[in-house]
Amino acid sequence: MPVVWCVLSLCLWVASAHAQISRLDSMQYLQNVTVYGVKPYAEVIPAQTLSGAKLEALSSHSVADAIRYFAGVQIKDYGGVGGLKTVDVRSMGSNHMGVFYDGIQLGNAQNGQVDLGRFSLDNIDEVALYNGQKSEIFQSARDFGTSGSIYLRTRRPQFAMGQTDHLLVTMRTGSFGLANPSVRWEHKFSPHVSLSLNTEGTLASGKYHFRYRKFFSDGELAWDTTAVRRNGDVQALRAEASLFGTYDGSRWMGKLYYYVSERGIPGAIVNNVWKTAQRQWDRNFFAQGSYERKCSERYELRAQAKYARDYLRYLNPDTTLMLIDNKFWQDEIYLSTAHKVTLARDWDVNLAVDYQWNYLNSTQVNFVYPTRHSLLTALATAYTWRGFKAQASLLHTHIADRYTTRNDGTVLAHHRKRLDRFTPAVFVSYRPWAAHDLSFRAYYKTAFRMPTFNDLYYTDMGNVQLRPERAMQVNVGAQYQLFTERGFVASARLTADAYYNRITDKIVAIPTGSGQYRWMMMNIGEVRIRGIDLTAAVALRLPADIIAEFTLSYTHQHAQDYSDPTDRGEAGSYHGQIAYVPWHNGSVATHLKWRDLDVNHSFIYVGERYHNSSNIPANYEQPWYTHDLSASYRFALRGTRYIKVTAEANNLFNQQYEVILNYPMPGRNYRLGVAFGF
Amino acid sequence: MVRQSSHNRFWSLALWSVALLALCASCRHEDVIFIPEHVQVAQPEYTSVSGFYLLNEGNMGSNKCTLDYYDYTTGLYHRNIFADANPTQALEMGDVGNDIGIYGSKLYAVVNCSNKIDVMDARSAAKVGQVDIPNCRYIRFHGKYAYVTSYAGPVEIDPDYKQRGYVAKIDTTTLQVVATCMVGFQPDELEIVEGKIYVANSGGYMVPNYENTLSVIDLATFKEEARVPIAINLQRVRCDQRGILWVASRGDYYETQSHLYAYDTRKQRLVKELDVPVGNMWLDGDSLYIISSEWSYLDASYGGATYCIVDTRTMQVANPMFIADGTQNSIKRPYGVAVNPITKDILVTDARNYVLPGNIYCFDRTGTLRWRERTGDIPAHIVFTK
């Protein structure tokens, strides 16, 4: 099969040919400047990706900001620099998403939550979103276990002939009292081993003005209030060191990651309460490594290992509320091997076995100190015949939890809980004509998410009887791609997918007793989601060396609550659209490039929603849409040195909006960045 | 040629997509203040009770504490009337309504997480003032004062963090706090009987070291003069015509269950313990109406709901099920109860799953459903208007 590389170098489509090793050096030198590539895909269903210049051009500060441009995605954004941002894909809930950092899942056994607002794009090369799973078989068992996955790939150092070092020093500042310096140094030890060091600091007061107002039905102003969002300050430091190597037909990588932060938690704005006092401290450390070797034409091996330790302290010192000062320590050990055997030229089989160990320690009263052993075994096979690609996988998950109930320090009992589940998935795609890159695809997948340690064991709130929350997905779709060497349209890619998801045994928090400060997790929900995702990406060659790229995404979803069949009627929740899922949302991003100048505009639209599944006016949430504009210019200096200046204005029309009820978002805000590199 | 036609096709498709997005993009409109909904639920009736207010708690952080009003003289249920009565009040009533009362011509709504008491005109619900009290819980009246319990007394560190609760004394003419009296941890309901204030200390934040006492405050000196042990985690306290205090404990949601106690304020001793779980109660003459749906961590579920009447003379359950027509099967989480003093109609509110809008059910004195209507979120506290 011909491998097509389409590379937009300095935003000119220069190549549409077989990738050849001998050309890599010159091409990768260009990649330092700005190269946009469309990779050939090994997956049955390719991902939505953002990478290279496109990623850089979007005025996105964190991974969560970048993911907003993908179809089918909802970001739960609590606002501000340090505010929590979680991703919900196709309305299945954020706990069904797996986030993989350089191939290994970022876990959080405590609450299942990966705050994508914390992952800056500073060191990220590519963000990819897969619905269902990454439909490639040579991967770890974990990769088969989620209902959707986000893959973050950190930057690989690439050196031109004779170069051994790269340095990039960046300083960004802007609204919210932001200071955001970062340094990246890359060094080539030998043709086979290179190092990347990256560190970034974030300091922000997090303050911004927000405005609430309401009108009489005749349009006269009823009330209007403007206030400053407080307790949204953040100070964070991230440091990463990565070592990359190749050795005699094998590739390896090692990574150390450390993140430390303190932040205020800006709570809900309610009558008479304009600021909150809650604070959170985090320390995340992990060390991970991967090794991949093609042992023979028929056998490939991949091994991965990780150790992670996370610390979280949550403090509520507000004297008008209950004092909470909880500390949590999590440990994780992860080992994985994957073995791919090529049975015939078009037929591969992969066996992957993962083992994971998690432990949670806490200062909570009567804490049960849970330990979880997970053993995941995935057997997958892929078959290709002409335009037909198919993949089937079966994942077995064995989970054993141990915990000890205590009362005032005395052990009451030791407990064990076991769980065994099989979850299958089938992915197929068909490309009827070799001359046209039009393909049709479909998948079916079941998965489940384990209740987190908090769901199960949080003192007085966890529920040890919880069952896993199950997800079933069916998807059919099509994709068309076009690349040309000259002419008005340089490239185009269109995708359309229709899907049906069903979430059963959904884990929902409900209050207990007659006070509201105690909640409990229960398996009571069922949600059915019917949706359509459309995407289009078009690159045009305009006169005067101007390149224009347009990226569009649109999602239409009916995500309906089927939990309580007795609750029908106009205010009933049965068949009601679930909380915060709009019927319509979409984005349009435009990137214009003229020589060393990049201009980017993006528009994000989220339609009307309700904040719970009783879709009545009292629960209505307004649509919101923001326009972001950014421009950057790259000044070439002596040799390979350069300075790049970037200016951004976000939420250009200063829309006052909320993503989550009572969490006001920032209005118009600015950012300025200067980077020096060679 | 092929390229030409295909690129035209894509260009038009791209434009079509933009148009589609623009079409779907319904725009924002200005937020309009909540317009009350008026629903005819029953025939008008004319007694000295003209209606009742229902305070909906709303979930923490939702700012959805709302006020409903039922008008007996028209049979109309008016949902979410506060914004209409107070259109210039920014962010409406606030977060988690916890108690409501009428004294003189004024209506008082205790809004727990908004740390304040809204004082309104009892006829129009137009706000006339506000008293700021952090973590305020319940309100009772006596003489020219209102008394409000609060969880948020001064913080002591000795060496553990401690924050006792207090009772605030509010002058109902000036709406100023004129005195405070420290009590136990996390005081809930209070009752004023023959020159004394009895306060139910819960200790709900101190798990598992709950409080187990009533604080007794002398009304004249406004000093705590005694603690009376009853049971752990006390919540409700109501006094009958014979000076018997009916005190309800929440229990610990494990082995110790919610119970009802009778404390004789004259003899100063506990005279009865009833194995009746109490979520909420309403005293009408000699009948104590009790509803409950008790949570247990032991089996991680709610037990069966209780709808009973205790006769305060015999101190026994006089009617173990005051709903006679099976309507209890459609009530998910009974949360509030009230009895019309004239007609003896029984009102029961259903908080359902605490997130969705609740319901109010009106039963006649025989326990037959007369009407039901949708409320705000977590309907809970009722006060009748004259």
Side-chain angles (χ1 to χ4, degrees):
Chain A
M1 201 186 91
V3 178
V4 182
W5 282 80
C6 288
V7 176
L8 177 64
S9 152
L10 295 169
C11 284
L12 283 171
W13 293 93
V14 294
S16 174
H18 294 264
Q20 288 172 10
I21 301 305
S22 59
R23 290 185 56 186
L24 271 179
D25 263 355
S26 65
M27 284 171 69
Q28 289 182 354
Y29 168 64
L30 288 171
Q31 197 158 8
N32 268 337
V33 185
T34 166
V35 175
Y36 171 65
V38 178
K39 283 189 311 179
Y41 56 84
E43 306 101 359
V44 178
I45 299 177
Q48 297 185 66
T49 60
L50 277 170
S51 59
K54 223 169 179 175
L55 190 61
E56 218 172 289
L58 293 172
S59 50
S60 32
H61 325 118
S62 70
V63 169
D65 293 319
I67 285 171
R68 298 184 302 172
Y69 296 98
F70 293 145
V73 169
Q74 296 301 323
I75 303 281
K76 293 228 162 67
D77 188 343
Y78 290 78
V81 182
L84 176 68
K85 293 176 177 67
T86 60
V87 178
D88 179 6
V89 175
R90 293 183 169 180
S91 307
M92 290 182 289
S94 50
N95 277 317
H96 283 276
M97 291 304 297
V99 181
F100 293 79
Y101 201 69
D102 279 329
I104 299 182
Q105 191 171 5
L106 292 166
N108 189 338
Q110 185 192 347
N111 59 24
Q113 203 168 59
V114 178
D115 183 357
L116 290 169
R118 285 192 210 170
F119 288 89
S120 94
L121 290 169
D122 202 50
N123 200 36
I124 304 277
D125 221 14
E126 184 183 80
V127 179
L129 169 72
Y130 291 87
N131 293 115
Q133 69 195 31
K134 187 177 181 182
S135 48
E136 181 186 10
I137 63 162
F138 189 38
Q139 56 191 6
S140 70
R142 270 253 163 263
D143 296 70
F144 294 96
T146 54
S147 296
S149 333
I150 293 161
Y151 287 83
L152 308 177
R153 199 184 61 198
T154 59
R155 212 187 115 88
R156 305 287 194 270
Q158 277 147 353
F159 298 94
M161 294 285 221
Q163 272 194 321
T164 55
D165 291 278
H166 288 153
L167 181 71
L168 181 70
V169 182
T170 310
M171 180 66 202
R172 295 182 205 90
T173 180
S175 307
F176 321 122
L178 177 74
N180 179 204
S182 88
V183 180
R184 182 171 68 214
W185 177 54
E186 293 168 346
H187 180 69
K188 184 161 97 173
F189 290 107
S190 78
H192 302 295
V193 181
S194 58
L195 169 77
S196 170
L197 295 176
N198 175 231
T199 180
E200 180 189 12
T202 306
L203 201 67
S205 71
K207 285 183 183 165
Y208 56 86
H209 288 273
F210 63 92
R211 181 181 190 182
Y212 283 122
R213 55 182 177 170
K214 281 197 177 174
F215 292 81
F216 289 101
S217 44
D218 63 3
E220 197 196 330
L221 186 71
W223 54 266
D224 184 351
T225 183
T226 299
V228 175
R229 192 73 167 131
R230 282 182 285 186
N231 200 37
D233 62 294
V234 59
Q235 38 188 305
L237 180 76
R238 178 179 56 82
E240 266 177 84
S242 312
L243 209 53
F244 303 89
T246 54
Y247 175 74
D248 191 26
S250 62
R251 290 197 299 164
W252 55 268
M253 181 185 164
K255 181 182 263 307
L256 294 174
Y257 179 99
Y258 184 65
Y259 177 88
V260 56
S261 72
E262 177 188 343
R263 72 192 63 217
I265 303 174
I269 294 291
V270 299
N271 183 300
N272 217 24
V273 181
W274 297 92
K275 68 171 185 184
T276 51
Q278 286 90 324
R279 303 209 58 85
Q280 185 173 318
W281 289 261
D282 286 276
R283 283 198 299 269
N284 308 104
F285 167 79
F286 66 77
Q288 70 181 40
S290 63
Y291 175 81
E292 213 175 299
R293 182 176 174 82
K294 188 158 187 160
C295 302
S296 77
E297 281 307 307
R298 291 197 169 271
Y299 175 63
E300 277 182 78
L301 163 79
R302 178 186 288 175
Q304 293 177 312
K306 178 177 180 174
Y307 168 73
R309 184 170 177 84
D310 299 304
Y311 164 78
L312 165 73
R313 178 182 175 207
Y314 172 82
L315 174 69
N316 184 358
D318 188 338
T319 55
T320 70
L321 296 166
M322 182 172 163
L323 175 84
I324 300 172
D325 187 0
N326 285 333
K327 292 174 188 162
F328 299 92
W329 294 265
Q330 288 188 68
D331 289 280
E332 177 176 312
I333 292 171
Y334 172 74
L335 299 167
S336 165
T337 62
H339 311 267
K340 187 173 90 169
V341 177
T342 303
L343 297 176
R345 197 166 61 88
D346 297 323
W347 187 18
D348 293 330
V349 173
N350 180 55
L351 176 70
V353 181
D354 291 10
Y355 168 76
Q356 188 173 314
W357 174 82
N358 291 91
Y359 173 66
L360 181 64
N361 186 4
S362 167
T363 54
Q364 276 194 312
V365 178
N366 292 344
F367 194 67
V368 301
Y369 306 98
T371 307
R372 175 172 291 175
H373 299 270
S374 311
L375 188 66
L376 293 93
T377 312
L379 187 64
T381 180
Y383 183 71
T384 309
W385 182 69
R386 299 201 180 161
F388 178 77
K389 285 185 190 179
Q391 183 202 304
S393 61
L394 183 66
L395 173 69
H396 174 252
T397 308
H398 171 82
I399 289 174
D401 280 11
R402 287 178 183 203
Y403 60 98
T404 305
T405 44
R406 288 176 172 81
N407 192 9
D408 260 356
T410 45
V411 172
L412 298 178
H414 298 285
H415 301 267
R416 280 177 177 210
K417 262 170 72 92
R418 280 160 190 275
L419 175 124
D420 282 279
R421 286 284 164 101
F422 285 95
T423 45
V426 180
F427 287 73
V428 289
S429 78
Y430 181 57
R431 179 176 170 173
W433 303 285
H436 300 281
D437 194 352
L438 171 66
S439 58
F440 299 91
R441 69 256 190 124
Y443 74 80
Y444 164 81
K445 176 169 171 127
T446 61
F448 66 91
R449 76 135 176 125
M450 270 308 282
T452 63
F453 281 162
N454 277 2
D455 293 340
L456 292 161
Y457 309 119
Y458 201 92
T459 301
D460 280 348
M461 197 177 98
N463 176 357
V464 295
Q465 294 172 12
L466 281 181
R467 299 180 300 276
E469 184 177 309
R470 293 176 294 155
M472 188 280 293
Q473 305 176 68
V474 182
N475 182 99
V476 290
Q479 169 173 312
Y480 190 92
Q481 285 194 106
L482 175 81
F483 301 103
T484 67
E485 284 166 51
R486 61 179 70 83
F488 182 55
V489 175
S491 73
R493 179 174 145 160
L494 301 171
T495 69
D497 285 277
Y499 50 89
Y500 173 70
N501 303 335
R502 199 177 68 214
I503 307 292
T504 43
D505 280 343
K506 194 173 169 70
I507 297 170
V508 177
I510 59 158
T512 63
S514 50
Q516 282 198 29
Y517 47 89
R518 299 175 122 209
W519 291 69
M520 179 92 180
M521 311 309 291
M522 301 282 275
N523 284 103
I524 51 171
E526 175 169 344
V527 180
R528 295 180 201 171
I529 302 125
R530 296 168 187 86
I532 296 168
D533 286 353
L534 302 174
T535 70
V538 181
L540 303 176
R541 297 185 187 96
L542 299 178
D545 294 351
I546 297 173
I547 292 288
E549 283 182 281
F550 302 95
T551 313
L552 291 90
S553 75
Y554 169 74
T555 301
H556 178 67
Q557 272 187 112
H558 289 264
Q560 292 169 300
D561 187 342
Y562 278 76
S563 308
D564 181 4
T566 64
D567 188 26
R568 294 166 193 264
E570 34 114 37
S573 63
Y574 194 68
H575 288 191
Q577 186 89 347
I578 60 168
Y580 297 116
V581 176
W583 281 271
H584 303 279
N585 69 292
S587 68
V588 182
T590 309
H591 177 203
L592 293 173
K593 182 161 187 78
W594 179 70
R595 297 185 186 162
D596 287 335
L597 176 69
D598 284 273
V599 178
N600 199 80
H601 169 260
S602 64
F603 170 73
I604 292 201
Y605 174 82
V606 173
E608 56 184 15
R609 305 148 292 152
Y610 288 88
H611 61 243
N612 72 44
S613 43
S614 170
N615 300 163
I616 56 172
N619 298 334
Y620 180 79
E621 293 288 314
Q622 293 259 18
W624 61 266
Y625 33 95
T626 54
H627 293 263
D628 298 345
L629 194 63
S630 72
S632 70
Y633 193 84
R634 188 177 184 279
F635 299 90
L637 304 176
R638 195 162 51 84
T640 58
R641 291 171 199 183
Y642 67 94
I643 286 178
K644 190 174 170 184
V645 180
T646 309
E648 291 173 20
N650 299 316
N651 192 1
L652 212 55
F653 296 105
N654 199 27
Q655 187 170 96
Q656 300 292 310
Y657 69 104
E658 288 180 345
V659 179
I660 304 291
L661 177 67
N662 301 328
Y663 285 81
M665 297 293 289
R668 189 186 303 119
N669 62 86
Y670 306 95
R671 198 172 284 224
L672 191 69
V674 180
F676 167 77
F678 64 80
Chain B
M1 194 59 207
V2 168
R3 190 193 306 137
Q4 193 60 37
S5 70
S6 63
H7 105 227
N8 282 344
R9 194 169 67 221
F10 284 119
W11 193 218
S12 67
L13 257 173
L15 283 174
W16 185 79
S17 310
V18 177
L20 185 80
L21 195 68
L23 195 76
C24 297
S26 65
C27 285
R28 286 169 76 88
H29 40 81
E30 297 293 358
D31 281 309
V32 174
I33 54 169
F34 289 118
I35 297 160
E37 296 166 300
H38 315 284
V39 188
Q40 189 79 46
V41 297
Q43 292 302 312
E45 66 184 44
Y46 304 96
T47 67
S48 61
V49 174
S50 59
F52 65 81
Y53 285 103
L54 166 64
L55 186 70
N56 298 288
E57 293 189 354
N59 251 308
M60 262 175 97
S62 73
N63 199 43
K64 285 172 79 180
C65 170
T66 58
L67 193 64
D68 296 350
Y69 182 70
Y70 178 66
D71 189 341
Y72 282 113
T73 64
T74 59
L76 282 173
Y77 191 85
H78 305 274
R79 195 162 37 237
N80 204 351
I81 61 163
F82 184 85
D84 188 50
N86 301 279
T88 59
Q89 191 66 42
L91 299 180
E92 299 89 28
M93 281 191 97
D95 209 25
V96 190
N98 206 66
D99 200 11
I100 193 167
I102 289 178
Y103 197 58
S105 62
K106 289 180 190 143
L107 171 69
Y108 297 76
V110 182
V111 189
N112 180 226
C113 294
S114 281
N115 303 318
K116 56 137 193 197
I117 297 145
D118 277 331
V119 184
M120 293 162 275
D121 178 75
R123 288 194 175 278
S124 65
K127 189 165 165 177
V128 295
Q130 172 174 324
V131 189
D132 285 329
I133 294 179
N135 209 336
C136 42
R137 301 289 296 175
Y138 290 94
I139 190 164
R140 294 291 181 271
F141 306 92
H142 189 267
K144 60 189 287 261
Y145 300 102
Y147 296 89
V148 174
T149 49
S150 163
Y151 280 6
V155 171
E156 304 154 28
I157 296 177
D158 66 339
D160 293 333
Y161 180 98
K162 284 194 176 145
Q163 187 179 25
R164 283 164 64 196
Y166 65 92
V167 176
K169 182 178 180 181
I170 301 158
D171 185 323
T172 53
T173 10
T174 62
L175 300 182
Q176 298 297 316
V177 175
V178 292
T180 58
C181 175
M182 299 293 289
V183 290
F185 293 107
Q186 293 84 46
D188 276 326
E189 282 195 356
L190 68 168
E191 186 73 296
I192 300 165
V193 191
E194 293 166 359
K196 302 269 193 271
I197 309 173
Y198 294 86
V199 183
N201 295 312
S202 74
Y205 288 177
M206 315 287 287
V207 181
N209 306 311
Y210 292 104
E211 286 273 12
N212 66 348
T213 58
L214 287 173
S215 284
V216 186
I217 299 171
D218 182 67
L219 203 53
T221 61
F222 203 52
K223 293 272 183 295
E224 184 186 34
E225 56 174 33
R227 291 278 181 99
V228 182
I230 304 280
I232 62 157
N233 202 2
L234 299 180
Q235 181 184 20
R236 309 214 177 264
V237 46
R238 308 286 163 89
C239 188
D240 71 14
Q241 304 167 35
R242 280 165 290 277
I244 305 291
L245 272 186
W246 292 87
V247 186
S249 72
R250 292 186 181 100
D252 64 359
Y253 311 102
Y254 288 91
E255 271 88 5
T256 311
Q257 282 162 4
S258 170
H259 274 182
L260 179 66
Y261 301 86
Y263 175 78
D264 190 323
T265 56
R266 293 167 194 162
K267 295 176 184 156
Q268 298 192 7
R269 62 185 172 86
L270 212 52
V271 290
K272 185 78 183 177
E273 177 178 352
L274 279 170
D275 182 12
V276 174
V278 180
N280 212 333
M281 58 191 194
W282 183 278
L283 187 63
D284 180 77
D286 291 320
S287 296
L288 187 63
Y289 291 75
I290 291 167
I291 56 159
S292 119
S293 172
E294 196 183 9
W295 175 264
S296 168
Y297 284 109
L298 294 178
D299 47 4
S301 69
Y302 286 98
T306 306
Y307 304 86
C308 72
I309 301 171
V310 169
D311 188 323
T312 58
R313 291 165 300 187
T314 61
M315 297 192 181
Q316 296 296 338
V317 175
N319 182 350
M321 172 52 75
F322 64 70
I323 299 174
D325 60 358
T327 306
Q328 66 273 19
N329 297 324
S330 54
I331 300 176
K332 290 206 169 56
R333 205 68 64 222
Y335 202 73
V337 61
V339 179
N340 183 312
I342 307 296
T343 63
K344 307 295 177 193
D345 278 359
I346 308 161
L347 300 165
V348 175
T349 65
D350 181 2
R352 303 176 67 216
N353 70 356
Y354 298 78
V355 177
L356 297 168
N359 286 315
I360 183 163
Y361 292 79
C362 175
F363 300 93
D364 67 18
R365 62 168 72 204
T366 69
T368 307
L369 184 67
R370 293 190 61 201
W371 52 266
R372 59 164 267 186
E373 186 47 42
R374 172 161 57 88
T375 63
D377 297 356
I378 317 183
H381 311 280
I382 290 170
V383 62
F384 290 97
T385 55
K386 292 282 184 272

